[in-house]
Amino acid sequence: MAAGIQPRVLVYLGALLARWVAAGGPYQLEVNISTTGSLPNGTLYAAQGSQVDFSCRSNSRPSPMVEWWFQAPHSRNEPFGNNLTVSCFTLLLMSRNLQGNYTCSAMNMLSGRHRKVTTELLVYYPPPSAPQCWAEMSPGLFKLQLTCRWDGGYPDPDFLWTEEPGGVVVGSSKLGVEMLNQSQLSDGKKFKCVGSHVVGPESGASCVVQIRSPSLLSEPMKTCFTGGNVTLTCKVSGAYPSAKILWLRNLTQPEVVIQPNSHYLITQNGQRSTLTIRNCSQDLDEGYYVCRAENPVGVREVDIWLSVKEPLNIGGIVGTIVSLLLLGLAIISGLMLYYSPVFCWKVGNTFRGQDMNDVMVLVDSEEEEVEEEEDAAGVEEEDANEREELPKEIHKHGHIHRVTALVNGDVDRMGNGLQALQDDSSEQQSDIVQEQDRPV
Ligand SMILES: *[C@@H]1O[C@H](CO)[C@@H](O)[C@H](O)[C@H]1NC(C)=O
Ligand SMILES: *[C@@H]1O[C@H](CO)[C@@H](O)[C@H](O)[C@H]1NC(C)=O
Ligand SMILES: *[C@@H]1O[C@H](CO)[C@@H](O)[C@H](O)[C@H]1NC(C)=O
Ligand SMILES: *[C@@H]1O[C@H](CO)[C@@H](O)[C@H](O)[C@H]1NC(C)=O
Ligand SMILES: *[C@@H]1O[C@H](CO)[C@@H](O)[C@H](O)[C@H]1NC(C)=O
Ligand SMILES: *[C@@H]1O[C@H](CO)[C@@H](O)[C@H](O)[C@H]1NC(C)=O
Ligand SMILES: *[C@@H]1O[C@H](CO)[C@@H](O)[C@H](O)[C@H]1NC(C)=O
């Protein structure tokens, strides 16, 4: 019996042994992840939004159970898909949260042996918007700093600055910042920055800056009254990068930069600067002022002449002179009337003798006008008419003659003569004309 049992046991054990021996592997694990590229350290990367195929193969008897595990950064390792027994799968749209370590493990269910392979997969994405570039004055050093920014991508892009046109390389860096000294700069020159990203557009993305020296606009001269204030204005246009604006006095060489204090007020609003000089004084403030605008591309200066004057009341001066002249004229006329009526008569006579017809015609026509207007519009209008006529010298002489004639006959009038002339000579004359009209 024992012999009968023994073979069965042996067969069973033999079968077990045979299965044990037959259960091979898993041997080599073949992990294949179809991605955009790989890094020198073996890490793979895929572009965001792209499709990634994963496959894992292994030789084993019987076929192994294959599982994929995923570990996001700073997270626990978790099975990727429940009890995934297929060895291949595809991620259609890679997103940032799918970046991490992918582990394929294969287990021989018979022998319980297992193997696993871990692959790091990074998800790259280019910056979402176009690069931006600008030029600025480097502080301290009088150099031009070119800066190119292209933020928001992973990993960081590379930058290449070139001169345009021509493409002469200025520099390339991860930072995007280049320093240029003045010998490399000229008005209107262009510089181009090309940003390149490992999963960005193939030709890169670019921006261009054009540097310009400043232009100045200002008034050439200004006037200030002693004790008053004056504001000089200086406007910069076209400067790129923005110009530094300085105010100077050129009293000495080199010129002196004006520092703001209680006397000088300097304000700058964008590329427009004003210099206000308070309490102007001729000794201190009259002269040339210089507005200087400078950027690394160029320097421009403009001279402004400031003249300081005493405050004058021009109206008062003119009025005084006119009054004095009138007074003098009146006094002379009065004296002439008083002392030498004959002289006056003679002057009148001589004049009339020279050009009697003309005078007569003019006087006559004037008197006719006066009569007509008196009828039509009355005395006031007639007075106005007389005043308008006054500047004509010929009339004056004609009237003087008549005044003399009347005064000679009327002693009372003579006393009033001087006073009347001073007050308003034209009024008196028109009176006389009226009086004379009646006898004629
Ligand atoms: C491989 O290189 C990339 C980029 O330099 C880095 O982010 C990553 O951590 C590296 N991976 C390993 C495992 O060292
Ligand atoms: C993948 O694993 C390595 C090793 O543990 C780790 O250094 C690395 O940061 C991980 N990568 C990611 C993307 O989590
Ligand atoms: C996979 O399935 C088996 C049985 O079908 C189950 O016992 C096991 O817990 C499952 N594993 C996971 C991770 O869901
Ligand atoms: C300006 O830069 C160029 C190129 O970088 C260099 O050859 C030159 O010597 C520099 N000149 C000065 C004055 O620094
Ligand atoms: C000049 O400016 C000062 C300060 O702004 C002001 O106090 C003063 O009244 C100004 N003088 C004149 C004449 O406008
Ligand atoms: C100041 O500038 C003016 C105008 O350019 C010039 O005529 C004058 O000589 C300069 N004065 C000095 C001291 O340099
Ligand atoms: C204005 O200037 C004069 C001399 O330049 C000075 O005597 C006077 O005190 C100043 N006035 C003011 C208000 O600063």
Side-chain angles (χ1 to χ4, degrees):
M1 278 300 281
I5 292 162
Q6 265 185 343
R8 273 161 57 195
V9 170
L10 278 174
V11 165
Y12 178 70
L13 287 174
L16 268 179
L17 189 68
R19 279 175 73 178
W20 174 251
V21 171
Y27 303 108
Q28 197 73 39
L29 267 187
E30 271 181 54
V31 172
N32 196 7
I33 303 177
S34 76
T35 51
T36 314
S38 63
L39 300 174
N41 64 8
T43 295
L44 302 175
Y45 64 86
Q48 175 178 271
S50 66
Q51 175 182 324
V52 179
D53 299 317
F54 297 78
S55 75
C56 185
R57 252 178 258 281
S58 166
N59 283 331
S60 110
R61 263 170 297 136
S63 289
M65 192 187 99
V66 177
E67 277 183 324
W68 280 96
W69 292 75
F70 171 66
Q71 185 178 23
H74 321 295
S75 308
R76 276 179 47 242
N77 209 2
E78 51 188 306
F80 198 80
N82 280 343
N83 269 346
L84 195 75
T85 46
V86 284
S87 57
C88 304
F89 70 98
T90 298
L91 294 177
L92 290 173
L93 267 173
M94 276 313 277
S95 65
R96 292 178 211 180
N97 57 10
L98 291 173
Q99 171 170 298
N101 282 322
Y102 288 84
T103 303
C104 174
S105 86
M107 191 191 320
N108 189 325
M109 297 304 278
L110 197 59
S111 64
R113 276 188 287 181
H114 76 280
R115 280 178 184 273
K116 61 178 183 177
V117 169
T118 298
T119 310
E120 187 180 40
L121 176 62
L122 303 177
V123 178
Y124 283 175
Y125 45 93
S129 51
Q132 293 193 315
C133 46
W134 64 89
E136 61 199 328
M137 244 191 282
S138 69
L141 322 151
F142 213 62
K143 288 187 169 185
L144 185 79
Q145 181 179 313
L146 295 174
T147 306
C148 195
R149 293 284 295 275
W150 199 27
D151 294 335
Y154 173 69
D156 289 333
D158 293 299
F159 298 101
L160 174 70
W161 275 102
T162 54
E163 284 179 18
E164 281 290 301
V168 176
V169 173
V170 176
S172 68
S173 66
K174 271 247 150 325
L175 213 58
V177 177
E178 300 294 336
M179 286 286 192
L180 298 178
N181 60 27
Q182 275 171 295
S183 61
Q184 294 166 281
L185 308 177
S186 61
D187 192 15
K189 201 167 179 177
K190 287 181 184 168
F191 295 95
K192 184 178 177 185
C193 166
V194 178
S196 52
H197 190 271
V198 60
V199 293
E202 202 152 318
S203 58
S206 65
C207 52
V208 174
V209 294
Q210 183 171 28
I211 55 170
R212 289 209 169 277
S213 65
S215 300
L216 279 177
L217 209 74
S218 181
E219 60 271 81
M221 54 181 72
K222 272 284 207 179
T223 305
C224 181
F225 291 115
T226 304
N229 300 341
V230 68
T231 297
L232 313 181
T233 307
C234 188
K235 224 179 124 196
V236 178
S237 63
Y240 192 78
S242 290
K244 193 168 121 193
I245 307 175
L246 288 175
W247 288 94
L248 306 102
R249 273 313 293 269
N250 77 337
L251 294 173
T252 54
Q253 290 293 345
E255 296 160 337
V256 184
V257 176
I258 295 173
Q259 302 296 338
N261 54 29
S262 59
H263 189 53
Y264 298 116
L265 175 73
I266 296 174
T267 59
Q268 190 169 339
N269 184 3
Q271 288 283 275
R272 182 176 178 275
S273 179
T274 60
L275 168 69
T276 300
I277 301 160
R278 293 166 175 162
N279 190 19
C280 286
S281 84
Q282 192 155 27
D283 305 341
L284 268 175
D285 300 319
E286 189 163 85
Y288 277 105
Y289 288 79
V290 182
C291 171
R292 176 187 291 169
E294 57 188 5
N295 71 3
V297 193
V299 180
R300 287 279 194 293
E301 284 191 356
V302 66
D303 289 328
I304 303 170
W305 170 259
L306 179 69
S307 55
V308 179
K309 291 183 175 155
E310 287 296 330
L312 294 177
N313 185 351
I314 291 170
I317 288 170
V318 170
T320 311
I321 291 170
V322 168
S323 314
L324 285 172
L325 278 174
L326 281 174
L327 188 68
L329 208 72
I331 290 168
I332 289 165
S333 313
L335 288 175
M336 276 162 65
L337 283 170
Y338 188 83
Y339 288 110
S340 167
V342 182
F343 170 72
C344 236
W345 169 257
K346 273 182 187 164
V347 170
N349 234 3
T350 318
F351 191 77
R352 293 185 87 169
Q354 276 175 349
D355 210 348
M356 204 176 211
N357 287 345
D358 284 355
V359 175
M360 286 309 287
V361 168
L362 278 165
V363 169
D364 284 349
S365 72
E366 186 193 11
E367 282 167 2
E368 274 165 30
E369 269 175 39
V370 167
E371 275 168 10
E372 281 164 16
E373 285 193 26
E374 204 171 25
D375 293 338
V379 183
E380 267 190 38
E381 266 192 38
E382 179 212 324
D383 284 356
N385 190 38
E386 281 296 314
R387 278 191 200 101
E388 279 170 26
E389 297 290 325
L390 250 180
K392 292 185 181 176
E393 245 186 282
I394 286 166
H395 289 181
K396 266 185 192 166
H397 283 284
H399 293 317
I400 286 165
H401 163 67
R402 289 181 186 87
V403 169
T404 312
L406 265 171
V407 167
N408 281 344
D410 185 353
V411 184
D412 285 353
R413 267 232 159 250
M414 195 172 160
N416 295 338
L418 182 60
Q419 186 64 43
L421 267 169
Q422 270 178 292
D423 287 344
D424 191 347
S425 54
S426 67
E427 216 166 74
Q428 198 208 358
Q429 280 177 359
S430 75
D431 285 349
I432 291 158
V433 169
Q434 277 171 28
E435 279 173 84
Q436 208 212 355
D437 284 344
R438 279 160 219 140
V440 171

